[in-house]
Amino acid sequence: MVDAPLTCDVFIVGAGPAGLSVASRLPDDVKTIIAHQDQEIGLPIRTSGGSWTDDTDRLGIPPEMYNVLNVNEAYADDAHTVIPLKGNLPAILDTPRLYKWLATQSDHKDREIMLGAKFTSARRLGDGRFESVVRSRDGVNRKITSDYIVDASGWHVAVLRALGLTEARPERLGVGTEYEYPLGDNAPDRGIIFLGSGVPSGYGWAFATARGTLRIGVGVIQPDTDASPRKLLDAVVANEALLKRYKLKLEGEPVVHSGILPSVAFEERMLWGRVIRVGDSANFATPTAGEGIRVCIELGRVLGEQLGEAVKTGRDAPLKVYERRAKRQLKTNYKWGFVINTRIAKYGPAEWNASVRRMAKLDTASVTGLLRNDFSRKKILAMASAGGKAWVRSRLNRLKRRA
């Protein structure tokens, strides 16, 4: 069954933070259609929502939409440290509320959000426009003709694949499962990460949220490991001794969240003529910690502004501004981040014990830079210096044991 076709200037596939941010900065009279496969903006939850207070302030995110973690700790099999973070602190976003807020930024514009609409295909027409097809949950197909098409579909890279611009989804993925419990007696401003034998090729986390709940989760890199994050998480929540060590109390039945994001090297290309990618379709998730909502919002807004200029002038040159901005902001940082990502994915318990101990010796700026995937020359030298000292100590200890 096919309903009457629709026509628009810009067709956006995906109503996550990237797609919604693009729409928020388009001119009010640019006809925009957003196709979103879920029935509601922001639900189901597919991300833990990690960010940073400097970024929430800069992006204008209302304080009630995130929870600040003042106390942050790291655990390995035989190591524990309080992470030295000051000033720019972790902020846990209430993603359903945040995404709905982002959607309101374009409510007054000539924009339509099609909920429960799965993007199925796209082709380029002879006049240079695009004809896409979306299918509703009741099986009705709808054709959409657009001048521009934005791939904000996440790791599916649905638009690029449909148009033959890429052959496959990313080969390497971060896969996570998270349980959300009532907060109970847990500290409302504390967050932890746990690493080592219990979470091969990944890490675990637990923190309080702005919703008055506690989330605990595990994420791994596949195919670096074939371990199931759900099974690894189940082993953690069933281990009373481990929870006691982490100072966590789990009460009631949890709500389950799960998500997938790309964990591959950054690619510079964002444009194929009037086809543009943004968000996880463009590998915006940070390689070190896998958080990228702040990047999606910031660069999504840049794309919206430049895409609006392209629509108004009929020239595609403004889109190059977005591509250059993404390259300048991400290329070097993500290069270093991916080097670290692939290296630590091979860590065993001994390496993680040493890494957690090193965290206490780094200055706040270096630790924040590592976790935020922000690698200035100064921060790289500081981290390399700390790592070099640890390497020398480990070799001396090894020689002593042999003697």
Side-chain angles (χ1 to χ4, degrees):
M1 182 177 177
V2 180
D3 268 6
L6 299 171
T7 301
C8 61
D9 299 305
V10 176
F11 177 44
I12 301 172
V13 178
L20 293 171
S21 296
V22 173
S24 74
R25 293 304 173 91
L26 287 169
D28 293 356
D29 59 346
V30 169
K31 176 62 178 176
T32 305
I33 295 176
I34 306 176
H36 189 55
Q37 67 176 358
D38 296 325
Q39 295 281 40
E40 186 175 347
I41 297 294
L43 293 173
I45 295 173
R46 294 191 173 92
T47 173
S48 58
S51 192
W52 299 86
T53 51
D54 279 3
D55 299 290
T56 56
D57 290 346
R58 179 172 49 83
L59 297 171
I61 298 173
E64 63 269 20
M65 294 184 186
Y66 57 88
N67 183 46
V68 179
L69 303 181
N70 294 297
V71 179
N72 298 276
E73 303 172 56
Y75 291 85
D77 288 26
D78 297 309
H80 166 247
T81 190
V82 176
I83 305 173
L85 295 177
K86 298 178 182 178
N88 188 16
L89 294 171
I92 305 305
L93 301 165
D94 181 349
T95 53
R97 192 174 182 184
L98 172 66
Y99 292 7
K100 288 179 173 63
W101 175 75
L102 289 172
T104 65
Q105 308 304 298
S106 58
D107 276 351
H108 64 285
K109 300 176 183 288
D110 190 1
R111 181 227 70 198
E112 176 185 355
I113 299 180
M114 302 174 67
L115 296 174
K118 181 178 177 58
F119 170 86
T120 62
S121 66
R123 67 186 181 99
R124 193 185 300 269
L125 301 175
D127 60 4
R129 294 186 300 167
F130 302 93
E131 182 184 80
S132 303
V133 178
V134 298
R135 183 175 64 247
S136 65
R137 291 181 180 269
D138 57 5
V140 176
N141 290 322
R142 200 79 180 266
K143 290 183 178 180
I144 300 171
T145 302
S146 62
D147 295 319
Y148 295 84
I149 184 167
V150 176
D151 191 340
S153 66
W155 68 278
H156 300 281
V157 286
V159 174
L160 298 187
R161 290 173 57 230
L163 291 169
L165 301 175
T166 187
E167 294 183 357
R169 296 166 177 160
E171 294 182 355
R172 196 166 178 268
L173 297 168
V175 183
T177 299
E178 182 180 70
Y179 293 163
E180 187 167 7
Y181 292 89
L183 182 60
D185 294 331
N186 295 285
D189 63 343
R190 176 177 180 258
I192 71 168
I193 56 174
F194 49 94
L195 314 125
S197 58
V199 278
S201 294
Y203 69 98
W205 61 87
F207 44 66
T209 75
R211 298 154 61 91
T213 59
L214 176 80
R215 291 187 185 176
I216 179 169
V218 164
V220 300
I221 303 294
Q222 296 179 349
D224 293 27
T225 178
D226 59 0
S228 159
R230 179 78 178 259
K231 290 181 179 179
L232 295 175
L233 180 56
D234 284 341
V236 172
V237 301
N239 189 327
E240 293 185 7
L242 194 60
L243 293 176
K244 184 177 181 180
R245 182 184 176 222
Y246 294 163
K247 302 174 186 176
L248 296 174
K249 296 180 181 179
L250 307 182
E251 302 174 351
E253 289 297 316
V255 177
V256 183
H257 312 308
S258 61
I260 300 174
L261 53 81
S263 185
V264 294
F266 177 69
E267 298 177 15
E268 298 177 26
R269 188 170 185 181
M270 301 287 144
L271 309 173
W272 287 260
R274 294 188 171 189
V275 181
I276 314 106
R277 63 175 178 164
V278 69
D280 282 349
S281 291
N283 306 331
F284 281 1
T286 60
T288 49
E291 54 91 14
I293 293 175
R294 57 187 172 87
V295 182
C296 292
I297 295 173
E298 181 176 1
L299 289 177
R301 289 173 176 176
V302 173
L303 174 56
E305 291 169 358
Q306 299 307 317
L307 182 51
E309 184 70 15
V311 173
K312 290 294 187 180
T313 63
R315 299 170 56 250
D316 297 337
L319 297 175
K320 286 288 186 180
V321 175
Y322 158 70
E323 188 174 55
R324 288 194 298 270
R325 169 70 179 274
K327 177 181 176 180
R328 184 173 67 250
Q329 182 171 328
L330 305 181
K331 182 180 179 181
T332 299
N333 284 334
Y334 281 42
K335 174 185 176 182
W336 283 103
F338 191 65
V339 168
I340 293 171
N341 173 294
T342 53
R343 180 181 178 185
I344 65 178
K346 300 174 184 177
Y347 273 14
E351 290 88 353
W352 279 123
N353 288 333
S355 293
V356 167
R357 294 185 184 112
R358 278 200 299 273
M359 287 184 188
K361 302 180 184 301
L362 292 172
D363 61 86
T364 295
S366 295
V367 176
T368 305
L370 175 63
L371 295 174
R372 290 186 76 254
N373 205 84
D374 179 13
F375 298 108
S376 67
R377 182 182 296 273
K378 182 178 179 181
K379 290 174 182 175
I380 291 171
L381 290 174
M383 286 184 278
S385 175
K389 292 175 184 176
W391 183 87
V392 170
R393 285 195 298 270
S394 70
R395 293 308 181 271
L396 288 174
N397 289 335
R398 185 175 296 178
L399 289 173
K400 289 178 181 178
R401 286 196 297 270
R402 287 177 178 175

